[in-house]
Amino acid sequence: METLSVAKSFDGTQGVYRHRSDACLCDMTFAVFLPPQAKEGPVPVLWYLSGLTCTHQNVMDKGEYRRTAAELGVAIICPDTSPRGENVPDEKDNWQFGSGAGFYLDATQSPYAENYRMATYIAEELPTLIAANFPIDMQRQSIFGHSMGGHGAITLALKNPGRFKSVSAFAPIARPMVAGWSRPAFEKYLGSDETAWRAYDTVALIEDGYRLPELLVDQGKADGFLDDGLRPWLLEEACEKAGIPLTLNMRDGYDHSYFFISTFMADHIAWHAERLG
């Protein structure tokens, strides 16, 4: 693991690191904020998964999470959204696929299957690296994310019961199997058999019996992707049928940007911190 930068912030440290990924077969970069409490011993951790076109840098620069994380003693880990590099297959003119758009799944179709293994990277490889190198209590993990990252956070929590103490999302893609901006990517990554897509679709996973103790979602009413890409009402219907307690906050006037995310970031971190103990 290579340290790219470390800066003091709110008496904690904001670091950026790079390592060679066995899952994605390329160099991967991630950010870790350690609160000041980490100087005394292991602290709980909150994973943040970013959305389409983003890297670790977007939330690190615009998310405004460090003050609250430092006050509550929670580490924040921000992975990248996809494999990257000259030898990684990509569609450079398509922001909804390839670089920056890994959808937190393990691709099965050539030529993407070799590198696009983000589900394994986030669920297995990166946590092992974090546990070996940072003062973090891996028995106290929670997860949240934005848009594509909200989709990733919820699906990973559904498929790893007991690992995460809590899960929340900002404007998650609730039903990527049928959403206009994710369906084409699913077909390229996973093939034409839509039964394989269900493992990476929140609503389908809930329909198939996967459960969460509870879920917090914030969604802007002025979000331009609301009707075609996000459709939180489908998540609301699925949770109601399954008996999953869902707090869905529809926020007047807010869009899909980090102006929206940063406004409610402290609320989400505090909600997770309470459940992390």
Side-chain angles (χ1 to χ4, degrees):
M1 189 181 71
E2 176 187 2
T3 300
L4 300 181
S5 67
V6 176
K8 185 174 182 178
S9 182
F10 296 100
D11 288 327
T13 56
Q14 177 65 71
V16 179
Y17 309 90
R18 180 167 57 207
H19 73 110
R20 183 69 180 178
S21 168
D22 291 332
C24 299
L25 296 181
C26 65
D27 289 342
M28 296 292 287
T29 303
F30 63 95
V32 178
F33 175 72
L34 291 176
Q37 294 86 343
K39 300 170 187 174
E40 307 300 325
V43 293
V45 62
L46 180 54
W47 297 82
Y48 178 87
L49 304 186
S50 293
L52 286 165
T53 75
C54 291
T55 70
H56 68 283
Q57 192 81 35
N58 299 75
V59 67
M60 194 175 76
D61 291 348
K62 304 174 186 177
E64 300 181 23
Y65 57 80
R66 280 172 288 267
R67 180 188 294 274
T68 304
E71 291 173 353
L72 298 176
V74 177
I76 308 289
I77 300 177
C78 309
D80 202 349
T81 53
S82 75
R84 299 176 191 270
E86 292 183 3
N87 298 321
V88 176
D90 186 19
E91 291 184 4
K92 296 187 183 300
D93 296 328
N94 184 358
W95 64 274
Q96 297 171 331
F97 182 77
S99 182
F103 282 94
Y104 303 100
L105 52 75
D106 282 350
T108 58
Q109 303 301 298
S110 179
Y112 309 107
E114 184 172 293
N115 300 105
Y116 287 84
R117 303 186 70 243
M118 290 299 294
T120 294
Y121 177 71
I122 299 295
E124 299 177 20
E125 184 178 16
L126 189 53
T128 300
L129 185 72
I130 294 294
N133 289 279
F134 297 92
I136 286 175
D137 182 358
M138 300 301 283
Q139 299 304 309
R140 292 190 291 164
Q141 301 183 64
S142 290
I143 192 168
F144 67 153
H146 169 231
S147 192
M148 178 185 71
H151 136 77
I154 300 171
T155 56
L156 283 166
L158 283 165
K159 291 189 290 184
N160 292 275
R163 176 179 295 192
F164 301 105
K165 301 294 185 183
S166 50
V167 57
S168 72
F170 302 100
I173 305 173
R175 195 80 162 99
M177 284 181 63
V178 296
W181 64 350
S182 48
R183 181 180 172 84
F186 270 38
E187 185 165 7
K188 292 174 187 176
Y189 285 136
L190 302 171
S192 59
D193 182 2
E194 296 187 17
T195 58
W197 302 8
R198 299 184 68 84
Y200 302 104
D201 183 291
T202 293
V203 171
L205 285 167
I206 293 172
E207 289 175 348
D208 292 345
Y210 292 85
R211 295 292 180 265
L212 295 169
E214 59 183 326
L215 178 60
L216 169 65
V217 172
D218 273 270
Q219 171 66 61
K221 286 186 177 180
D223 192 321
F225 302 111
L226 190 61
D227 292 332
D228 182 47
L230 306 174
R231 296 178 294 176
W233 50 86
L234 299 179
L235 175 61
E236 188 173 34
E237 292 170 4
C239 286
E240 184 176 355
K241 289 179 181 178
I244 298 174
L246 167 66
T247 300
L248 175 59
N249 299 313
M250 298 297 297
R251 305 293 190 176
D252 285 331
Y254 284 95
D255 59 16
H256 200 69
S257 72
Y258 269 92
F259 297 113
F260 157 63
I261 298 166
S262 62
T263 300
F264 302 104
M265 177 66 78
D267 293 346
H268 279 243
I269 294 174
W271 186 82
H272 286 289
E274 183 179 350
R275 286 149 182 79
L276 286 165

